[in-house]
Amino acid sequence: LGQYSKIAYIDLLNTPNDKEAIKKSIYDQMLKNLDSDNLLSGEIDDLINLFSDKYKVDYKQLLAGYIPESKEFISIRNSLIQDYKKDLNYCLKRLAVYWRFKQKAIMVIIDNTDQFDQDLQNYCFSIAKSISEELQCLSIISLREERYVSSSINGYLDAFQQSAYHISAPKP
């Protein structure tokens, strides 16, 4: 499976029951998993390649008129790259492009959401849906059987057009 995909496994087991903590944990773990080639801590040329879409525009606009070997050019360039790295969503999108270029599909697996109450599980589902759309990837989220059934009938999940694959609980 890893031969054809890049898997970002997100474990929420020790995450506090707080929306911001959940979101931060998901995005931090996803960034760590998708940056397994350590591009974000790599050489400047690797970062320029990773952020090539923004850098090309800034090169023509913000860096125009500077000599590429000058201290001013290097200082501004490095500052721009650091600004790109601060934008977590942008970094994740660019890492997704990086893996697709390497012919790997991205799978985000969010596990242990069943420890949260219904509202926080719904929140986790909305984050997973958002990630799927933003990164053009497959998101898998674990829910308890009873939460899935109740939410899909008259809860949060019935409001979304989705293709869900449901695995029933084993018979005792």
Side-chain angles (χ1 to χ4, degrees):
L1 187 63
Q3 178 181 350
Y4 302 107
S5 61
K6 181 65 183 165
I7 298 171
Y9 175 75
I10 314 301
D11 185 2
L12 298 178
L13 185 61
N14 297 316
T15 305
N17 292 328
D18 173 66
K19 284 185 176 183
E20 287 305 312
I22 290 169
K23 185 174 183 178
K24 182 176 180 352
S25 182
I26 289 172
Y27 280 86
D28 287 349
Q29 290 183 58
M30 196 166 45
L31 185 65
K32 181 181 175 187
N33 281 276
L34 292 182
D35 190 26
S36 59
D37 286 353
N38 298 314
L39 295 173
L40 295 175
S41 59
E43 300 289 326
I44 192 73
D45 291 336
D46 294 334
L47 291 169
I48 289 171
N49 287 334
L50 181 64
F51 302 133
S52 62
D53 60 333
K54 280 189 177 183
Y55 184 75
K56 286 177 184 175
V57 173
D58 287 341
Y59 184 83
K60 290 187 274 183
Q61 295 174 356
L62 298 175
L63 295 170
Y66 289 100
I67 299 169
E69 293 81 25
S70 70
K71 288 181 182 180
E72 294 86 8
F73 177 92
I74 292 170
S75 177
I76 294 169
R77 178 200 66 192
N78 292 352
S79 178
L80 289 170
I81 297 296
Q82 289 305 312
D83 288 344
Y84 303 157
K85 285 174 60 175
K86 290 176 187 173
D87 186 347
L88 183 61
N89 287 334
Y90 176 66
C91 287
L92 289 170
K93 287 177 186 176
R94 295 308 299 167
L95 287 167
V97 169
Y98 169 79
W99 288 111
R100 279 195 298 276
F101 183 75
K102 290 183 154 256
Q103 305 293 313
K104 293 197 180 233
I106 296 173
M107 294 174 48
V108 177
I109 301 168
I110 303 175
D111 197 10
N112 293 313
T113 63
D114 57 348
Q115 67 176 325
F116 302 127
D117 63 24
Q118 183 69 45
D119 288 338
L120 289 177
Q121 285 190 45
N122 291 343
Y123 181 69
C124 291
F125 175 80
S126 69
I127 289 176
K129 180 139 179 73
S130 171
I131 288 168
S132 289
E133 292 170 355
E134 289 176 18
L135 302 185
Q136 301 171 0
C137 68
L138 173 68
S139 291
I140 299 171
I141 185 168
S142 64
L143 300 171
R144 286 199 179 171
E145 175 90 12
E146 65 273 8
R147 300 271 173 128
Y148 172 80
V149 171
S150 67
S151 287
S152 62
I153 293 172
N154 58 4
Y156 190 79
L157 300 179
D158 70 344
F160 291 95
Q161 177 68 16
Q162 60 179 324
S163 55
Y165 181 75
H166 175 247
I167 300 174
S168 297
K171 294 182 180 181

